[in-house]
Amino acid sequence: METMIPLEEARRIVIGHVGRTAVEMRPVWGAVGLPLAADAPTDIDLSPFANSAMDGYAVRSADLAGAGGDAPVVLDVVGHEAAGSVFDGEVGPGCTVRIMTGAPLPAGADAVVKYEDVRVLSGDGNEGSRVSFAAPAPAGDNVREAGLEARAGEAVMRAGEVVSPAGAGLLASAGYTEVPVHAAPKVGVLSIGTELVAPGEVPARGQIRDANSSLILASALAAGAEPRFLGIVPDDEGAIRRAVLEAAASCDFLITSGGASAGDYDYVTELVRREGEVLFDRISLRPGKAITFGVVRGVPFLGLSGNPAAAAVGFELLARPALRSMRGHVELDRPVSRARVAHDVPKGQQRRFYDRARIERGADGELSVHEASSQNSALLGTLQRANCLLVVPEGLKGYAAGDEVDCVRIDLPEGSVL
């Protein structure tokens, strides 16, 4: 009797047998979407000086303490300061400095009044003018303090934190032109089957085009890996062994499709057992229970089903989180939505089902999910049009219309907040 392990155990085994890839340096803008491999402390205070948050006038709050509409305070404009320039003097009693957004707060001043709230009495509003203020200005008003973002030596981003476009700007402000990230894992992809021909060929009777290699290469690329297609291998024990061992010598992770079940010409599991270690070869999962995972010459090896949809689901649930872990990602789980199933979903086996489905929000704001009309594991069109995998756990015989179900959102990135 075959032994099937739970998906959670299989996932734990796969992730536990991969390590972080080597660290490489990327330009801060080229690290977008990647987690940092180390903390990033700033070398200066951010910002390095107190500066104005508005175009306006730098003032001493004490001068305007009694200002009001019936008793405006008149000040002399003694300087003009734009971003990138510095007023060398000090703002004394009865004086103000015209200031632009981002310019350093001049000595003596402790607040900024925005330009629209100031009346110009004489001159053009710049040095030599006189201006009046009709309201007090509390100390610190419209002023960005030095070190508001971070103090020198503090980390502006932590290891594992994913760089966003804003994060790239933050890192640049902290002095970084490059940052350390984990390199994309090199993923070797082999398609196994004498019946397979390349996508550009017209298959003869008994042959089929190799769809799985494109599927897996695209999935690996989307997971942040560097995929390498290593070819189609016939159902020949020696040829498969040579291809697998050659791939193991140059890749960080190896994925095959086909040849992993119990057919007469399925050599993959026994090959892994002879050349390394098989850690599991059956999962309580539909589609794709016949998944082999092990280690060959120190390289993680995942043997997926030859059925395209089963290969896709196996990659999604096992390979994707492992490859993300290798790049240093902390978030490894796709978000899960709760939705009401729109129709009955029968189930005739004890395995856990991950059915292709589409989740939608109705006019009432509620989420409903429609299972694809066919769950045939040879079909990819239903997966192309799906945006989730409807989960039917072990022990259930299915769902009735209106039941709440879990849906793995394959259309949303890990860490998304629903």
Side-chain angles (χ1 to χ4, degrees), residues 208-257:
I208 59 172
R209 285 177 171 142
D210 172 26
N212 283 3
S213 60
S214 295
L215 163 70
I216 296 170
L217 290 166
S219 298
L221 185 65
E226 179 186 312
R228 298 176 173 185
F229 181 47
L230 304 177
I232 298 172
V233 185
D235 291 309
D236 177 83
E237 188 172 6
I240 294 171
R241 179 180 183 277
R242 287 190 296 273
V244 168
L245 295 185
E246 183 178 336
S250 61
C251 297
D252 301 311
F253 197 102
L254 179 58
I255 300 176
T256 65
S257 66

Side-chain angles (χ1 to χ4, degrees), residues 18-37:
V18 299
R20 298 279 194 265
T21 52
V23 172
E24 64 180 17
M25 301 302 292
R26 286 280 190 96
V28 291
W29 55 266
V32 169
L34 300 176
L36 291 182

